[in-house]
Amino acid sequence: MPGLGSVRALAFDVFGTVVDWRSGVARDAAAILGARGLDLDWGAFADRWRALYQPSLERVRSGERPWTRLDDLHRESLLQVLEEFGARSLSEAEIEDLNRAWHRLDPWPDAVEGLGRLKRRYVIATLSNGNVSLLVDMAKRAGLPWDAVLGAEVARAYKPLPESYLTTARLLDCRPEECLMVAAHHHDLVAARSCGFRTAYVHRPREFGPAQKDDLPAEHGHDLVVADFLELADALGA
Amino acid sequence: MPGLGSVRALAFDVFGTVVDWRSGVARDAAAILGARGLDLDWGAFADRWRALYQPSLERVRSGERPWTRLDDLHRESLLQVLEEFGARSLSEAEIEDLNRAWHRLDPWPDAVEGLGRLKRRYVIATLSNGNVSLLVDMAKRAGLPWDAVLGAEVARAYKPLPESYLTTARLLDCRPEECLMVAAHHHDLVAARSCGFRTAYVHRPREFGPAQKDDLPAEHGHDLVVADFLELADALGA
């Protein structure tokens, strides 16, 4: 781990990096909408819902609308996606249940064991755009052993705004260079690095489904490039 | 547990309620200052340091000074206490080490087992005036299995200001009446209740040392009055 000896805290992106959002959303959509007699392309449903994610964040980041937590943005996007897919007349309880699919995402197979190893040597914290209660529900269900659940809601700034990274580092009492951002997304790592964080790219070739086209991880000059959290723990001596 | 069926999250005071600050501070002061050849009344040293706690918080609560995290308030108070006890000429490293005694406090004997049981049924979070990094260090060392480390620093308001309680409830996506404040201090519970929280008083008869005079726990009308976290878990069916 060249030059990473000063790292004390690992800050994790969550959606796509720790958990498999696409399969989990597709599964819960199939269960909840399927019970209504709908038969859709559930992967496409998940993809469309996720496609509205960045535009919804951008309206908050830009100041077009005031701070709004992710659960509420997800719900607004869900109503649009349901309309687009012709899934009308769901009850409020069904909509709320489906919106909470994001609280019930499964971790990638290596995540729990890898985090357990990393936790013994480092502070491990979320640095996610998910709201605290979403991340707490997810962690309790999946057994994710976070030391702290931090990120956008606590900072009141969505990634990749610098405040999201810098507030998380400050709360962990770390200088930015003492924090290693762990993510499967280059844009997140590039933003973290511009705040002074060290960066670890985790390759998640199935995040966007079987047809995913990989971009090459090595081209962005991250401190570490790993296949999963076990390889990350190996690389960090944890 | 009459009327507590709607509770989803337990919010814990930490200093005195979860951990034994007096013994821990006295122990570390004895080790660090003792190595300098000092022989003081270590319990009195801890008491004096703690006596400066509320006045230091009050200067922040009142707006006399801007937000300052507890580690920094503790350090300012420590310098005064060292002066009062005639412990001069400590190195910066020794002062910093002693200040971090608050990160190394031991839990009461029932705390880890009790929290483990309660965590299976409820969200368990800190609602402490301690800063996040202090609470994370303490939890890692002591094995306190928090779902979330929240409280004054995240809210940027020290207890008993209402914002400290209400921000914690909001981040947990709970209405105030869905939160049970757990503390060994009536003033904390009374403030939480005035925000709509339910309250559980835990009797910690040794928090202030062997000469502690108990105030009677029953007189404030808390929802629960328990001897320790195991009795709390019993009372809540956890």
Side-chain angles (χ1 to χ4, degrees):
Chain A
M1 47 169 186
L4 295 180
S6 66
V7 167
R8 297 193 293 121
L10 310 188
F12 288 80
D13 173 61
V14 173
F15 300 118
T17 300
V18 179
V19 296
D20 176 3
W21 58 266
R22 189 177 190 270
S23 295
V25 168
R27 174 198 64 207
D28 281 14
I32 295 167
L33 300 179
R36 275 277 187 168
L38 288 157
D39 185 14
L40 307 175
D41 179 338
W42 305 115
F45 184 93
D47 290 340
R48 179 58 187 151
W49 195 357
R50 184 66 170 179
L52 298 175
Y53 170 74
Q54 284 296 346
S56 71
L57 296 182
E58 185 55 26
R59 284 188 283 277
V60 178
R61 285 191 293 248
S62 69
E64 180 187 324
R65 60 184 295 183
W67 176 257
T68 310
R69 62 182 186 160
L70 189 62
D71 270 346
D72 297 323
L73 298 175
H74 271 157
R75 195 176 196 287
E76 294 173 9
S77 299
L78 173 59
L79 295 180
Q80 177 178 336
V81 177
L82 288 171
E83 180 71 24
E84 290 175 6
F85 279 75
R88 297 184 182 87
S89 73
L90 268 68
S91 70
E92 280 299 306
E94 285 168 318
I95 292 168
E96 177 62 22
D97 187 22
L98 183 49
N99 199 46
R100 292 174 70 90
W102 298 90
H103 297 223
R104 295 185 295 256
L105 302 177
D106 288 331
W108 296 111
D110 53 280
V112 172
E113 180 184 347
L115 290 174
R117 285 173 57 190
L118 292 162
K119 178 173 177 157
R120 292 201 291 268
R121 181 156 175 170
Y122 297 95
V123 170
I124 59 168
T126 63
L127 205 175
S128 167
N129 282 335
N131 40 288
V132 169
S133 63
L134 182 161
L135 296 166
V136 166
D137 285 346
M138 177 195 288
K140 287 182 86 76
R141 178 180 173 281
L144 304 171
W146 303 121
D147 290 310
V149 173
L150 302 172
E153 192 183 22
V154 170
R156 293 180 84 82
Y158 280 116
K159 293 189 293 181
L161 290 175
E163 296 90 321
S164 63
Y165 304 97
L166 295 173
T167 298
T168 302
R170 177 174 54 73
L171 289 169
L172 296 174
D173 195 26
C174 288
R175 299 189 307 275
E177 65 270 25
E178 294 175 320
C179 295
L180 179 68
M181 184 76 208
V182 182
H185 311 120
H186 292 303
H187 65 92
D188 195 358
L189 296 172
V190 168
R193 191 169 55 204
S194 77
C195 293
F197 280 43
R198 314 305 297 266
T199 58
Y201 176 89
V202 182
H203 194 202
R204 296 297 191 192
R206 294 292 163 268
E207 175 182 0
F208 298 98
Q212 177 170 340
K213 287 186 219 140
D214 291 345
D215 51 347
L216 290 170
E219 65 191 300
H220 293 269
H222 306 304
D223 295 295
L224 290 172
V225 174
V226 294
D228 59 28
F229 288 1
L230 302 177
E231 198 174 302
L232 180 63
D234 289 342
L236 292 170
Chain B
M1 46 171 187
L4 295 180
S6 66
V7 167
R8 296 193 294 122
L10 311 187
F12 289 80
D13 174 61
V14 172
F15 299 118
T17 300
V18 179
V19 296
D20 175 4
W21 59 265
R22 189 176 190 271
S23 295
V25 169
R27 173 198 65 206
D28 281 14
I32 295 167
L33 300 179
R36 276 277 188 167
L38 288 157
D39 185 15
L40 308 175
D41 178 338
W42 305 115
F45 185 93
D47 289 340
R48 180 58 187 150
W49 197 355
R50 184 65 171 178
L52 298 174
Y53 170 75
Q54 285 295 347
S56 71
L57 297 182
E58 185 54 27
R59 284 189 283 277
V60 178
R61 283 191 294 248
S62 68
E64 180 187 323
R65 61 183 296 183
W67 176 257
T68 309
R69 61 183 188 161
L70 189 62
D71 270 345
D72 298 323
L73 297 175
H74 271 157
R75 195 176 195 287
E76 294 173 9
S77 299
L78 173 59
L79 295 179
Q80 176 178 337
V81 177
L82 289 170
E83 179 71 24
E84 289 175 6
F85 279 76
R88 296 184 184 85
S89 72
L90 268 67
S91 70
E92 280 300 308
E94 286 168 318
I95 292 168
E96 178 61 21
D97 187 22
L98 183 48
N99 199 46
R100 292 174 70 89
W102 297 91
H103 297 221
R104 295 185 294 255
L105 303 176
D106 289 330
W108 298 111
D110 53 280
V112 172
E113 180 185 347
L115 290 174
R117 285 174 58 190
L118 293 162
K119 180 175 177 156
R120 291 201 292 269
R121 180 153 176 173
Y122 297 95
V123 169
I124 59 168
T126 63
L127 205 174
S128 167
N129 281 334
N131 41 286
V132 170
S133 63
L134 181 160
L135 296 167
V136 166
D137 285 347
M138 176 196 288
K140 287 182 83 77
R141 177 181 176 281
L144 305 171
W146 303 121
D147 290 310
V149 174
L150 302 173
E153 191 184 21
V154 170
R156 292 179 86 81
Y158 280 116
K159 294 189 293 182
L161 289 175
E163 296 90 321
S164 63
Y165 304 97
L166 295 173
T167 298
T168 302
R170 178 175 53 75
L171 290 168
L172 296 175
D173 194 27
C174 287
R175 299 190 306 274
E177 65 270 26
E178 294 175 320
C179 295
L180 178 70
M181 183 77 207
V182 182
H185 311 119
H186 293 302
H187 64 92
D188 196 357
L189 296 173
V190 167
R193 191 170 53 203
S194 76
C195 293
F197 281 43
R198 313 305 297 265
T199 60
Y201 177 89
V202 182
H203 195 203
R204 295 299 192 194
R206 293 291 164 268
E207 175 182 359
F208 299 97
Q212 177 170 338
K213 287 187 218 140
D214 292 344
D215 49 347
L216 291 170
E219 64 191 299
H220 292 268
H222 306 303
D223 294 295
L224 290 172
V225 174
V226 295
D228 59 29
F229 289 0
L230 302 177
E231 198 174 305
L232 180 63
D234 289 341
L236 292 169

